[in-house]
Amino acid sequence: MNAPLPTPPTEALSFLDPFGFGRAAFDYWRDAVERSVLYMDVMRERGNQYLEHIEKTKPNVLGFDAEVVMDGRELPRPVNYELMQILPPTGVEVDLQARPFVVIDPRAGHGPGIGGFKPDSEIGVALRAGHPCYFIGFLPYPEPGQTVEDVVEAEIAFLRRVVELHPESCEKPMVVGNCQAGWQIMMAASLEPEVFGPILIAGAPLSYWAGERGKAPMRYTGGMTGGSWMTTLASDLGDGLFDGALLVQNFERLNPANTWWDKQYRLYANVDTEAERYLNFERWWGGHVVLGGEEIQYIVDNLFVGNRLSTAQLVTSDGRRIDLRNVRSPVVVFCSQGDDITPPPQALGWVRDLYGDTDDIIASEQTIVYCVHDSTGHLGIFVSSSVSRKEHAEFTANIDYIDVLPPGLYETTVTSAKERDDAELLERDYLLEFKARSIEGLSRDVLHHREDDDRRFATVARLSEINLGLYRLFVQPWIRAVITPEAARLMRRLHPIRLGYKLLSDRNPLSVPLPVLAEWVREDRHPVAEDNLLRTMERAVSEQISRGLDTWRDIRDQSIEHTFLTVYGQPLLQAMVGLGGDGHVHRRQPGSEPEHRRFIERRQDELRQRVAEGGIHEAVMRSVIYVLGGAPTTDERNFKRLRASRAELEPASSLSDFKHLVREQFFILKLDREAALGAIPQLLMGERAETIRASLEHIEHVLAASGELSEHARKRYEHIQALFGEALERVDPAERRRALADLHEEVAIGARAEVAARSEVEGLFQAEPEAGQPDRASRSAGAKASARKVRKPTSKSQADSPSDTKSETTRKPRKR
């Protein structure tokens, strides 16, 4: 009954339509009608999915099974957050002794789960690496009276619970905060630093005044609305609740081409293959949540408009100052140049706000690592599969290395093994490298700071306080008097974003024929060829529409920026709000305050007294840091060798002791390098000659991890060899002779091995003269069998030795 109509022979169609225009038009028209039906059916499914999702008690989009470990509603100060343990999927094994991972999702209008949305996600990467994983999510509605401080305290309680659940792990949990959750965990870590391991903040804004002109128009929003009074109005209209759909609407306005055309056209043009991906994403994007009015007001006043977090001006209700310099865990900042919600200046501006230079970072014992992606958007930072497989996988694999990096500011880059000459030395497909940076270089390359912009934003902050006070005095009483809970719920339901989902669902009687029509189309689908003339024209028209919307967006953003700079740059307005006196913005600069400078001086005095304290472990670590400090970059290979050498030298030492040793020796070298190096022979005093020689071997082993040393690093290593040789001179002569005799025997064995290896290689050349050189496997075997080359003696004791064997304490590192 539903059999397709007979199609005329091709020869007949060619005779009737010799140029093929009619056939192309008919094929395109048929395909367009079918795509329209399928598109509307996907919209219907989206509406059904939305209604099913929001009607759940605890909706989330996690792609992994999880069980609740701790409910925030049961805390002394209840919140709508909960701690969930991720259950490993089949085939994935978790090491309970490994460092736990805790992922926190943003509560910025959408529901939870995006951090574990896909198998290739932040949680998926950590699970495959064998780490126990936890997720901190939230419910759609806040608890009565819930505040931002309550949420921060709840997150601290959750982390304490994670630590209790893993007593066998010697590592503190790594915490990943996405977007809005990033600044929350930074607040928590500044209040209770002892419960945090390394912190990764992905796309998290911490410095809201920062930005580059011509980009990041969201930072002007507060000024264009006259401050935070409109936030209070929205909360009053919601009967004390702020609708998260308003935040989502702001995000969508940033890119009208994608919101109003590209996203929908992509589905329409590829409806046969795009439907599943579209519906999965819309399940999260349409899961709007509600914030408490007091919460959102705190956020807008103190962060978006006031910028008080990055300048250490926030104080809790019980009198504790929230100062990000109190964070003792390494902080990894992941941002992107393609992010228009949290551009790199807003993600990294707090570093410049809090510290005058890198010496301030070092004195505060902070390790800050940043990675700037070239192009991915805001959601791609923590959602994109390609980003998770590359950047997040490398962050996870190198987290122990990041945890022991000496204090300072570092830029990290991820390079492919295929792009490197030393690919055979790498264990994975990518390598994470770290390069020391300065705040001046960061400001020049990333932050693009302008002092006059600070003055304008300070004017907005003052004006916001004035307008908010006027609103609360004259308008707020009237709004609260007429708004009822039922009226607030009705306004939330009638929000245009929500209506777009509800109207296209099975609850709309007009959508009843859609599933029947869609099934009929799928049974006899006629997709048009990609080279069809009209399909090509369709794509061209779509591109023109998208470009037109982008042009309109650029004009709009330029107009907003010009208006903001003009209005808030007026000296009269600045003077009216109290900023027109001395011509300077009265903005707190914590890094230049006298109290902070006195702290740095005390810290330096303490370290000067400890330059000559310690033993052979301090000498080895000091030597390695000195040699590697001359290199432009460092990577995980040095860390693995260093940690292995540490385990050999002192098996009973813990990783925390190792971290403390690295940081302390780095401080000492940074403070007075000459005195620190000059004290190495004194640190080795009392050690046996064999122990000193073995320690030098460990140093060489570490330095050889990343291949051949640079000329500068080699000279530094020769200096270390001389210092160890000086220490050998102080050893008892009889013991030194025994050590040199052992060394003579070892070198002789090595020489015999070298002769054997040379003979083997020569035999290979004789066997295959036409090849020109042995194969890679033969070369590798010959290289491993070859003995080490030794250098001439550098110390007096070696030169005067009756043995003609040259001391191994002075040889260069092996080349890999």
Side-chain angles (χ1 to χ4, degrees):
M1 182 174 180
N2 293 328
L5 297 174
T7 304
T10 305
E11 295 79 4
L13 291 176
S14 300
F15 177 77
L16 297 174
D17 186 14
F19 298 102
F21 292 139
R23 279 172 291 163
F26 175 78
D27 291 343
Y28 175 78
W29 173 83
R30 181 175 56 184
D31 173 71
V33 171
E34 292 176 352
R35 278 188 290 153
S36 298
V37 172
L38 295 178
Y39 172 83
M40 293 302 297
D41 189 58
V42 173
M43 293 292 102
R44 179 190 63 84
E45 292 184 30
R46 184 188 74 158
N48 293 340
Q49 176 182 269
Y50 166 80
L51 294 171
E52 178 184 355
H53 183 74
I54 65 172
E55 289 172 358
K56 293 180 179 178
T57 305
K58 299 179 179 181
N60 67 68
V61 295
L62 277 176
F64 302 89
D65 293 333
E67 59 183 17
V68 177
V69 175
M70 190 172 180
D71 193 334
R73 294 174 294 179
E74 299 175 358
L75 293 173
R77 295 162 65 178
V79 296
N80 65 331
Y81 281 70
E82 56 186 11
L83 172 66
M84 293 184 285
Q85 183 176 12
I86 302 299
L87 304 178
T90 304
V92 176
E93 296 184 0
V94 169
D95 182 6
L96 296 180
Q97 295 183 349
R99 182 196 302 273
F101 266 60
V102 181
V103 176
I104 309 176
D105 261 2
R107 184 162 157 255
H110 298 104
I114 197 66
F117 183 51
K118 302 177 181 178
D120 286 326
S121 61
E122 294 165 335
I123 291 178
V125 167
L127 282 174
R128 287 197 298 273
H131 294 273
C133 289
Y134 294 84
F135 178 77
I136 297 179
F138 46 86
L139 304 179
Y141 290 90
E143 290 295 298
Q146 176 177 312
T147 66
V148 171
E149 289 185 21
D150 295 339
V151 174
V152 169
E153 292 294 340
E155 290 174 349
I156 294 172
F158 291 158
L159 288 176
R160 292 190 190 278
R161 179 60 174 159
V162 172
V163 173
E164 292 174 359
L165 291 172
H166 294 273
E168 66 279 6
S169 177
C170 60
E171 302 293 344
K172 295 178 182 177
M174 177 181 177
V175 186
V176 180
N178 297 321
C179 187
Q180 170 264 355
W183 56 257
Q184 275 190 350
I185 64 170
M186 289 293 284
M187 291 172 63
S190 68
L191 293 174
E192 300 290 342
E194 74 280 357
V195 300
F196 283 80
I199 297 172
L200 169 61
I201 50 177
L206 278 86
S207 183
Y208 298 85
W209 292 2
E212 183 180 358
R213 291 191 180 180
K215 298 180 179 179
M218 275 198 73
R219 66 182 182 138
Y220 303 123
T221 303
M224 300 306 295
T225 58
S228 65
W229 70 273
M230 289 195 67
T231 304
T232 309
L233 172 62
S235 299
D236 290 339
L237 292 174
D239 193 40
L241 297 177
F242 183 89
D243 190 358
L246 298 173
L247 297 176
V248 177
Q249 196 172 44
N250 285 337
F251 299 149
E252 291 185 341
R253 287 171 180 166
L254 288 175
N255 192 349
N258 182 72
T259 301
W260 298 339
W261 183 260
D262 290 346
K263 183 170 68 172
Q264 308 304 330
Y265 174 74
R266 191 182 303 116
L267 172 64
Y268 171 73
N270 307 280
V271 70
D272 298 299
T273 58
E274 188 73 7
E276 183 178 359
R277 188 207 63 81
Y278 178 87
L279 289 173
N280 285 337
F281 179 78
E282 285 295 307
R283 187 160 58 95
W284 175 75
W285 188 256
H288 310 121
V289 297
V290 175
L291 290 81
E294 189 173 351
E295 287 182 285
I296 192 65
Q297 196 64 39
Y298 179 97
I299 295 170
V300 175
D301 284 338
N302 292 299
L303 281 72
F304 293 138
V305 176
N307 197 43
R308 297 187 179 103
L309 176 60
S310 67
T311 53
Q313 296 181 73
L314 282 180
V315 179
T316 64
S317 56
D318 56 358
R320 293 178 294 169
R321 182 173 295 279
I322 299 177
D323 190 339
L324 299 184
R325 291 172 299 174
N326 294 333
V327 178
R328 289 295 171 264
S329 304
V331 179
V332 182
V333 181
F334 186 28
C335 53
S336 174
Q337 296 288 0
D339 186 352
D340 55 355
I341 294 176
T342 306
Q346 291 192 11
L348 287 164
W350 64 279
V351 179
R352 184 201 60 232
D353 292 342
L354 286 173
Y355 302 103
D357 51 35
T358 50
D359 288 340
D360 285 352
I361 299 177
I362 294 171
S364 298
E365 301 185 33
Q366 276 204 327
T367 302
I368 302 172
V369 179
Y370 69 91
C371 178
V372 182
H373 196 277
D374 293 332
S375 58
T376 190
H378 181 71
L379 293 178
I381 293 176
F382 42 89
V383 176
S384 172
S385 298
S386 60
V387 171
S388 293
R389 285 193 296 265
K390 185 179 177 183
E391 279 83 2
H392 282 288
E394 288 303 307
F395 292 148
T396 302
N398 288 275
I399 199 61
D400 287 336
Y401 179 34
I402 294 173
D403 203 9
V404 298
L405 271 177
L409 179 65
Y410 302 88
E411 180 181 12
T412 182
T413 55
V414 181
T415 57
S416 173
K418 299 177 182 179
E419 302 173 359
R420 300 181 60 89
D421 297 331
D422 56 351
E424 67 277 1
L425 300 178
L426 304 183
E427 299 178 0
R428 297 185 306 280
D429 295 334
Y430 297 96
L431 179 68
L432 198 65
E433 294 183 297
F434 300 86
K435 179 179 181 181
R437 295 296 303 268
S438 66
I439 291 181
E440 294 77 12
L442 179 67
S443 296
R444 180 184 62 252
D445 300 335
V446 180
L447 301 182
H448 310 291
H449 182 240
R450 293 179 64 103
E451 296 291 343
D452 53 343
D453 282 356
D454 283 350
R455 188 175 180 81
R456 290 179 168 89
F457 283 103
T459 304
V460 173
R462 295 281 184 89
L463 186 64
S464 175
E465 294 176 358
I466 296 171
N467 289 340
L468 180 59
L470 293 174
Y471 168 80
R472 285 176 171 167
L473 180 62
F474 294 107
V475 182
Q476 188 177 63
W478 295 97
I479 299 294
R480 290 186 172 182
V482 298
I483 292 296
T484 63
E486 291 76 14
R489 281 195 292 269
L490 180 61
M491 283 189 285
R492 283 195 293 270
R493 292 172 182 172
L494 294 179
H495 191 282
I497 291 183
R498 287 191 173 90
L499 282 178
Y501 290 91
K502 293 179 180 178
L503 292 179
L504 291 173
S505 69
D506 284 342
R507 296 185 185 180
N508 184 347
L510 297 178
S511 66
V512 171
L514 280 177
V516 178
L517 292 174
E519 185 63 27
W520 178 72
V521 168
R522 292 189 184 97
E523 290 177 357
D524 188 26
R525 179 78 169 95
H526 302 89
V528 71
E530 291 297 322
D531 59 353
N532 184 283
L533 176 62
L534 294 178
R535 182 66 187 269
T536 303
M537 293 177 61
E538 175 194 293
R539 289 193 294 266
V541 171
S542 175
E543 291 176 2
Q544 290 299 320
I545 294 174
S546 181
R547 290 176 185 174
L549 290 171
D550 284 341
T551 301
W552 176 80
R553 177 202 61 195
D554 294 341
I555 295 174
R556 179 201 64 186
D557 292 347
Q558 291 173 7
S559 301
I560 290 174
E561 182 176 76
H562 178 74
T563 302
F564 179 91
L565 297 176
T566 301
V567 171
Y568 292 101
Q570 294 295 322
L572 177 60
L573 179 58
Q574 294 173 356
M576 291 176 63
V577 297
L579 294 174
D582 53 9
H584 298 284
V585 177
H586 298 283
R587 178 181 174 187
R588 188 171 187 235
Q589 299 288 341
S592 60
E593 292 179 346
E595 294 82 359
H596 185 67
R597 293 301 175 187
R598 285 196 293 270
F599 160 75
I600 293 176
E601 292 173 1
R602 287 196 302 268
R603 177 65 174 160
Q604 291 174 346
D605 291 339
E606 293 173 1
L607 292 173
R608 286 191 181 96
Q609 298 173 5
R610 305 182 64 177
V611 169
E613 292 183 4
I616 193 167
H617 306 308
E618 285 75 11
V620 170
M621 187 61 64
R622 192 176 298 181
S623 301
V624 171
I625 293 175
Y626 169 67
V627 177
L628 293 180
T633 59
T634 181
D635 58 61
E636 62 185 282
R637 295 170 292 181
N638 299 118
F639 161 69
K640 290 180 178 178
R641 288 284 181 88
L642 186 63
R643 189 173 177 182
S645 298
R646 168 73 174 173
E648 293 175 12
L649 288 173
E650 193 176 5
S653 65
S654 63
L655 184 58
S656 60
D657 295 333
F658 174 66
K659 297 174 187 176
H660 178 73
L661 181 64
V662 172
R663 290 175 177 268
E664 186 174 75
Q665 296 309 310
F666 176 81
F667 285 143
I668 291 174
L669 274 169
K670 182 73 176 178
L671 180 63
D672 192 340
R673 187 175 67 183
E674 297 303 323
L677 295 176
I680 287 180
Q682 184 177 348
L683 296 176
L684 297 172
M685 187 177 299
E687 299 291 343
R688 298 176 60 244
E690 180 64 27
T691 304
I692 296 176
R693 188 168 65 86
S695 298
L696 195 60
E697 285 187 7
H698 284 305
I699 295 174
E700 179 183 350
H701 191 57
V702 171
L703 299 178
S706 54
E708 184 177 359
L709 292 177
S710 65
E711 186 65 27
H712 185 61
R714 187 176 296 112
K715 291 180 179 179
R716 290 191 170 203
Y717 179 62
E718 291 173 358
H719 187 192
I720 295 299
Q721 288 177 314
L723 292 172
F724 273 69
E726 182 181 339
L728 281 172
E729 292 179 1
R730 303 178 182 179
V731 178
D732 180 72
E735 184 180 346
R736 185 167 66 246
R737 282 195 297 271
R738 287 195 300 270
L740 290 175
D742 294 340
L743 177 62
H744 176 77
E745 182 180 355
E746 181 181 332
V747 173
I749 294 173
R752 289 194 295 272
E754 182 176 5
V755 171
R758 188 182 302 112
S759 300
E760 180 181 354
V761 174
E762 289 174 354
L764 290 172
F765 274 106
Q766 292 173 0
E768 296 180 333
E770 71 280 359
Q773 60 180 4
D775 60 19
R776 180 173 181 179
S778 301
R779 291 200 307 271
S780 177
K784 292 180 180 178
S786 297
R788 304 169 182 164
K789 295 182 179 180
V790 295
R791 294 175 49 82
K792 293 182 179 180
T794 58
S795 66
K796 186 178 184 300
S797 63
Q798 296 161 358
D800 295 341
S801 174
S803 173
D804 58 354
T805 304
K806 299 176 179 58
S807 174
E808 191 169 319
T809 62
T810 59
R811 68 177 182 271
K812 289 185 179 180
R814 294 189 299 273
K815 297 180 180 180
R816 295 292 302 272

